[in-house]
Each structure stands twice: as C-alpha cells, then as structure tokens.
DNA sequence: ATGAAAGCGCTAACAT
DNA sequence: ATGTTAGCGCTTTCAT
C-alpha cells in the first residue's frame, strides 16, 4: 500500500507537505504541489479513509436506518425511492451510505452503539417503529439525524403532506357524488395517522359523518395482502360504502382484489383511491386513482437537511413535501 | 470518548490486556476479564472501528455495487430482494454494508478506487453493465467479489437458472397448444441473454421454428413502460403470435397493457408468461403466470460466497438457483 | 513555504 | 497471565 510517506520519500518533501497538498492547503507552492500530485499519480497513491477518520473524527459516512420488523424492507417502493434520492445528493457531497442495524459484529447492540462504533457522521431514519427504545435512544443522542415520516422536536424531519393529500382525495370523491366513503388505514405509523386525520378532516369539512365501521386498520407492512384482508372487513358491512380511500397503493391493489373476489367491481360498485402512486398504479386494472407522493424528492430533501446538520447547522428543520392527486380509472361519478 | 486507555488506567491493567479481552484472547484470567468488562460497561466504552481497521486491515464492511445507469436502481423489485437477503446474512456474520459508487468524496474516481479508499473487505456486484471499464477494473483486481446475474472466470457468481426457467415457460405454453410463441427480451444483460437462450432452446427442443420477427428486444431498464413499447412492436405483425414469453414481470405487465390497448385481451387472444414473480404478479388482471426467481435466496447465497472468499477461501464458486413456474391466469389452452 | 513531533485508538510481536 | 514497544496512515499544531 502506497502511503504519504512513500510520496514524501520519493519527492524529498515531508509527509506534512504531502498531506497539505491532498487537503488543499494554500501554503504549498504550485511547483511542489505539482511534483507531489504527479508522484502520487505515478505511485498509484490512494488515501486511507480509516486513517483519516481516526484523526479527523469525520468519516464521511451516513448511516441509513430503516425498519426491520416488517420484513419487507427495501422491497417496498417507498424505501427504494427515498434511498435513491438520498444517495444521489449525499454522494455528490462526498458522503457514502452505510446500512445501520441493531446488530454489529454479529452481536445485538443498538442503533446508537452501531453508529458510534462506526463513527458515522449522521443518520437518516426511514419509517421507524417509533416506540422502539433503541430508536428513542438514537433520537435523544447528539448524532445528527433526519427523520422521514415522523415528527420530532429534537431532530429535523421531512414528510409528505399526508393530511392535504387525504383531504384532496376525499374532496375528489365528494365531487363525484360519493357520501359513504370508507377508509383503510396503514397501521400505527406517522403517515397512517396523518392520513387518517386528513380523512376525518376532509369528511368533517364536507359535513359527512365519520362512521367507525368505515375505518379499518390495515397492518403495518403495507403489503398487497394486508390490503386485501382489510377490505374483507369492509365487505362484511350490511351497507357497503360507495368509495374507499386506501392509505397506500399496495393496499389499494389488495383491496380491489378483494372487491373483485366478492363479485363486485371497481369503480362500478365501489370507487377506490390509493396513496403513493407506485409505478404499477397506472397499469393495474382499473388504473388506480391515487395521491402521488414524490419519494425521490423526499430523499433528496432529507439528504440536504442532514448534511446541513452534519456540517454544523444547528437549526432544526421541517420539510413538508406537497403531494398531488392523480386521477385515473378507479373512481366513478355517482 | 472512552478508549481502552481509560479502561486500562482505571483498572490498572495495560491497554494490551484490555484489548485482549475484547478480542477474546484466551490468555487473560477470568477475574481480569470480568473486571475489565465491568469497567468498560461502567465507562460506556465503545470500540472505534476506524482505529481497529487501521491496524488490522479489516473493515468488516462489504461494498454493494449496483448499476446506476438505468436510473431505476433500488426501485426495481429485483434489487430489493437481493439486497435484503444479502444484508441478512452479512449482518449476522458481523459485516456492514456500504454503497459503492463511481464517485468518492464528491469526485469521479471509479469503483476499485472507491473500494480501496474505503477499505471494504469485499464487494457484491448486482446487475452491472459489464462493459463498463471501471467494472472490468474491479473484476481484475484482487478484491473479493461476488457477481449476481453474471458469468466470470475470476470471481464467484450466483444467478437464477434462467435457461431452465425459460424452457419451462415455453414447454408449458406448448403443452397448452401454443406454437406461435413470441419473446420479449430484457436488454443486453446476462439474464436477458440466458433467457433468450432458454427460449431458443425450448423452441428448438419442441421442433418449433424460431422466427426473428417474434423476438423483440426490450430496453435495459425492465420497466413497465418498456414492456409496453416492446409489445407494440409485436402487435404490428401481420399474423400475431398466440403467446408471448416476457423476460420480466414489469415488462409483462406493460405488454399486457399494450395488448389491451389494442382491443385484444389476455389470455383470450394472446397468452403471456412473465419472469420474476414480483409481489404484484398475482394481483394484476389477469393474474400473471410467471417464472419465479427467489431474489432473497440469491442474495443470501451471494453473501455466503463472498464471505467465504473474504475469509480466505480461494475456490471460485458458482451457484445457480432454481426457478419455478407459477401458473396463474394469463395463459389459456388453445 | 516547509517540516518535526505528537497523537488519533487500536492491535500485534515480543518479552517477562 | 500480563506488559512493553512499535506502528497502522493520516492530520495538526507549532516551529522555522
């Protein structure tokens, strides 16, 4: 392995000067700089990130933490988009991304421990189970963090405008003449709660009664199958709603499957609106009307905020990303 | 920050002894071990991974490299599954995962450079553009690697049994009475080529002619939209095939969309078989008959092989993971 | 403009 | 069973 000492020896300068060159210090002559750069090139020198981190206490690494309990992980389209966006800006600013789990070295530990041992400069937290004590511990630490789909006083957060999106969905259904609008929620998550809140606000705003039997809790995992199961609940009702607003496209697709399985059809018998606008949404039958959230932007914004924080920014920021209703074929006028 | 020196000072033992305790050396008395462990706990000691890596030349980090050109990245279900599986076993064996890009420190460099600078112990390479010179450079290096969906003499590889899967698909269509079977390929990838090969072998084996106009190249990205476009080609033919085998479920869903858009239906007019078995496959209409590949297993196997290699194994391994035809509703007997 | 010296936190030979 | 010494590759005062 070629080190700065090799370059120093070969050029006759000191390791200090060599180091200065690579760190862009101004107190090195142009000539010396050239010689050192050329020699580095010639010897195939590459810096050693570990050695650098050891002295500078900066790893240029960002930890990425996403929930592990559901088992779906990256398979959910939400994560993919967010991580892609995040990675894009983090990389361009010189950071690498590392997955952070509860375990390290094959042993149980905790997120905070993991972060400290690895010396990450900051952490993005995606869709966490916010009752997890290890998560709380991280939140209360002084490590720079940004939370997605989460609210917090101590850390910066970014999330989609779930409330507005839900209200828009309800208003759209209302405009089509629907009055009996059910809601399938996405488990006990921040986004789920906000969407539920939006549903209720929307209904109330329009003077529509919120019926308890019209609200069903889907499970946390946001899988198609869970959506199917949730819809089954609704289909047991004596008088069916004329529309369902579903807190996730996977869910919605499952729900539509359930409706079809009951010999009913969408949108003829029941109209449906989803949330997310996954790629598949426009290709399922009927093409899904849904609230689009821009996960890529979510990720990019999160990276901006985290890096701001890592680089000394002390202000706790909060970004709410607008969503947009995309009208397709899963709703009909009454 | 608490270091082993703090523990040494407090307990009266030397830093070496403390280090030995944490590294499980046997030449430390039980009593001493206890004292040191307790003190570590009490002081809240956490090891510093960078310092350790600096001396040991082992980072316990695995780089993960996946193609960046297509722009879909993690959004494709394939990646998600593979990475999940990989992460699962890597984590359990003490490794963390870090994304490796062509850039480092915000500057262009190359994969190999990035890996060396970060000191990763090995790299998983997922679906690369194998003409990329930076990729070649990595392949020819001495860094432990495992390749997914790839063939190589110098590195271990793991991939699904694309050929057998394709043959099975063709045989199934044949058994249903289909003779005019078209094929939509997935771009210039290893998997695409293998599936094409399987298609041709299957056709030949059954004595069916392979018509050039029945083979269309989809684009590299495996998106629904590309599948739609590819199918449009096929639909321009004077005599349409009675079935299409499509090298990816996203593709297949797009293709089915195109068929419907032409006023035809699946499977009544054209039968379709996909490849992947993504979650959505059973929820689209018609539910998609497809060749299931187990991306989770792919990932786990890859991790096993890479770690074997990292830990000194010199044998170059090759794993072919079986696939399975899943019959649903997108094909009909002729 | 350049360099000497010390130190980041840890481990590995090599004593004892 | 325990400790001494040196060193991993780099940066950072602080001199000169």
């Amino acid at each position: 392995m070629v080190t700065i000492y090799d370059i120093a020896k070969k050029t006759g300068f000191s390791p200090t000067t060599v180091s200065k060159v690579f760190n862009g210090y101004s107190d090195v002559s142009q000539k010396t700089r050239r010689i050192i750069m050329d020699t580095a090139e010639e010897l195939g020198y590459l810096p050693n990130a570990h050695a650098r981190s050891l002295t500078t206490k900066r790893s240029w690494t960002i930890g990425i933490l996403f929930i592990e309990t559901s088992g779906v992980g990256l398979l959910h389209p939400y994560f993919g988009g967010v991580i892609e966006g995040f990675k894009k800006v983090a990389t361009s600013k010189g950071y690498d991304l590392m997955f952070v789990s509860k375990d390290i070295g094959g042993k149980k530990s905790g997120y905070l421990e993991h972060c400290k041992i690895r010396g990450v400069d900051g952490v993005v937290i995606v869709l966490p189970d916010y009752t997890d004590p290890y998560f709380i511990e991280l939140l209360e630490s002084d490590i720079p963090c940004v939370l997605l789909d989460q609210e917090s006083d101590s850390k910066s957060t970014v999330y989609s405008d779930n409330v507005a999106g839900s209200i828009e969905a309800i208003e759209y259904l209302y405009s089509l003449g629907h009055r009996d609008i059910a809601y399938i929620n996405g488990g006990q998550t921040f986004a789920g709660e906000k969407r539920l809140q939006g549903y209720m606000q929307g209904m109330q705003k329009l003077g529509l009664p919120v019926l308890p039997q019209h609200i069903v809790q889907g499970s946390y995992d946001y899988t198609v199958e869970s959506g199917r199961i949730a819809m089954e609940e609704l289909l047991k009702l004596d008088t069916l709603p004329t529309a369902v607003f579903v807190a996730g496209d996977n869910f919605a697709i499952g729900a539509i499957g359930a409706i079809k399985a009951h010999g009913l059809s969408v949108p003829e018998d029941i109209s449906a609106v989803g949330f997310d606008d996954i790629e598949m949404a426009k290709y399922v039958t009927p093409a899904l009307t849904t609230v689009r959230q821009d996960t890529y932007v979510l990720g990019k914004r999160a990276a901006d905020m985290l890096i701001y924080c890592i680089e000394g920014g002390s202000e706790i920021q909060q970004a709410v990303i607008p969503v947009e209703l995309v009208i397709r074929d899963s709703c009909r006028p009454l």
Side-chain angles (χ1 to χ4, degrees), chain A:
Chain A
M1 182 181 220
V2 184
T3 73
I4 54 169
Y5 283 91
D6 299 318
I7 300 177
K9 196 169 296 168
K10 176 130 190 186
T11 59
F13 292 103
S14 72
T16 306
T17 303
V18 177
S19 173
K20 281 177 175 171
V21 168
F22 294 126
N23 289 287
Y25 279 59
S26 57
D27 57 350
V28 182
S29 74
Q30 275 308 316
K31 197 173 147 210
T32 306
R33 186 181 302 277
R34 263 270 57 84
I35 296 173
I36 289 176
M37 289 299 251
D38 290 348
T39 312
E41 175 89 87
E42 181 191 336
L43 299 181
Y45 168 76
L46 292 177
N48 179 318
H50 297 298
R52 184 203 296 253
S53 297
L54 186 56
T55 29
T56 60
K57 268 102 183 68
R58 279 282 260 124
S59 64
W60 292 94
T61 301
I62 289 175
I64 145 160
L65 177 56
F66 70 94
I67 198 66
E68 296 157 320
T69 55
S70 78
V72 279
L74 285 170
L75 291 170
H76 190 99
Y78 178 83
F79 295 104
V82 168
I83 294 177
E84 280 293 309
F86 192 94
K87 182 162 173 279
K88 178 75 176 278
V89 354
T91 301
S92 78
K93 302 226 172 152
Y95 293 87
D96 281 336
L97 261 53
M98 171 178 263
F99 286 112
V100 166
S101 64
K102 249 177 221 173
D103 306 347
I104 186 169
K107 291 165 203 70
K108 286 256 163 280
S109 53
Y111 302 125
L112 181 57
E113 259 189 45
H114 194 144
C115 290
K116 288 197 166 162
I117 292 173
R118 283 291 186 180
V120 301
D121 296 331
V123 194
V124 218
I125 304 174
V126 191
L127 250 196
D129 165 13
Y130 49 89
T131 57
D132 183 340
Y134 285 120
F135 165 64
I136 307 279
E137 185 186 45
L138 184 57
L139 268 197
E140 288 170 349
S141 77
D142 52 0
I143 293 184
C145 291
V146 59
L147 309 179
L148 274 114
D149 271 350
Q150 199 66 87
E151 238 157 15
S152 165
D153 304 323
S154 54
K155 304 288 183 185
S156 289
T157 55
V158 26
Y159 46 85
S160 290
D161 198 343
N162 294 295
V163 176
S166 300
I167 292 177
E168 202 177 339
I170 300 304
E171 283 176 339
Y172 170 66
L173 288 168
Y174 184 90
S175 76
L176 254 29
H178 293 276
R179 297 297 178 265
D180 299 321
I181 306 171
Y183 175 64
I184 294 178
N185 200 17
Q188 307 289 40
T189 63
F190 170 79
E193 280 168 19
K194 286 295 177 186
R195 291 173 197 173
L196 173 58
Q197 197 178 311
Y199 165 77
M200 305 223 280
Q201 277 182 227
M203 294 294 277
Q204 277 155 15
K205 191 171 158 190
L206 297 166
L208 264 25
V210 173
L211 308 176
Q213 70 272 28
H214 274 182
I215 299 179
V216 14
Q217 286 290 341
S219 82
Y220 177 67
D221 59 10
Y222 284 96
T223 59
V224 180
E225 181 58 16
S226 304
R228 197 189 59 69
I229 293 169
M231 188 69 213
E232 293 289 354
E233 281 311 303
L234 245 25
L235 289 165
K236 286 184 189 146
L237 259 34
D238 289 334
T239 61
L240 295 179
T242 64
V244 233
F245 171 47
V246 190
D249 283 353
N250 274 355
F251 263 29
I253 290 169
I256 290 174
I259 293 171
K260 287 181 183 169
H262 268 245
L264 300 174
S265 85
V266 178
E268 287 70 20
D269 299 299
I270 299 182
S271 291
V273 178
F275 207 113
D276 278 343
D277 196 27
I278 62 177
E279 195 203 2
M280 212 55 75
K282 59 160 129 7
Y283 298 101
V284 292
T285 315
L288 195 61
T289 292
T290 187
V291 180
R292 173 185 299 159
Q293 65 171 330
D294 195 333
T295 54
Y296 194 73
V297 166
L298 238 34
K300 294 212 290 191
R301 209 65 184 71
D304 284 334
M305 287 162 63
L306 181 58
I307 291 170
Y308 160 84
C309 197
I310 289 174
E311 297 182 346
S314 54
E315 196 187 320
I316 291 173
Q317 303 184 84
Q318 205 145 321
V320 181
I321 311 295
V323 298
E324 174 194 3
L325 182 70
V326 180
I327 296 174
R328 299 204 181 91
D329 312 328
S330 62
C331 300
R332 74 160 186 114
L334 228 49

